[in-house]
Amino acid sequence: MHPPHPGSTERVTVRIDRDFEDIVPIFLANRRKDVHTLRDALTSADFATIQTLGHRMKGDGGGYGFDRISEIGGAMELAAIQKDHTAAEQHIAQLEDFLARLQVEYR
């Protein structure tokens, strides 16, 4: 399931196991920092950084319960490998949009 298109105000609710309650806020804060790093990397055509961060998100997102972050990370990694500026920019925007609309519920 994909969230609505960027620019939507619809909240995206992700239910996370309560065992992750202490570390999820740190994980998400780091992804928000990544958005800034990714934008800077894109400005300087630093596809290696984009690839590295995309790869990490692809691997880490699902482990924290954020499959969408894994999906975006994988697509971002591929865009960086292909040096596709436009696609990388779109995936960075998707990540930023997802994080902005994200609401975490612990169960």
Side-chain angles (χ1 to χ4, degrees):
M1 177 178 104
H2 295 282
H5 296 289
S8 171
T9 58
E10 184 179 329
R11 302 297 288 167
V12 176
T13 302
V14 177
R15 289 168 183 81
I16 304 292
D17 189 290
R18 190 161 299 285
D19 292 343
F20 293 105
E21 194 167 7
D22 290 339
I23 59 174
V24 163
I26 297 165
F27 173 78
L28 293 174
N30 286 334
R31 298 304 65 81
R32 289 180 180 97
K33 289 177 188 174
D34 286 348
V35 169
H36 298 290
T37 302
L38 287 161
R39 290 204 182 286
D40 290 344
L42 190 62
T43 298
S44 61
D46 180 359
F47 290 104
T49 294
I50 296 169
Q51 181 180 350
T52 298
L53 290 176
H55 181 78
R56 284 184 191 157
M57 282 184 265
K58 179 177 77 173
D60 293 345
Y64 285 88
F66 299 102
D67 293 336
R68 182 65 181 138
I69 291 176
S70 288
E71 292 171 11
I72 294 169
M76 193 179 305
E77 179 183 23
L78 181 60
I81 290 168
Q82 297 172 343
K83 296 186 178 10
D84 186 336
H85 187 279
T86 301
E89 186 173 42
Q90 290 171 345
H91 299 309
I92 293 166
Q94 288 171 351
L95 176 63
E96 184 173 36
D97 178 67
F98 176 79
L99 292 170
R101 294 184 299 108
L102 179 62
Q103 177 177 315
V104 177
E105 290 181 2
Y106 297 97
R107 51 186 161 99

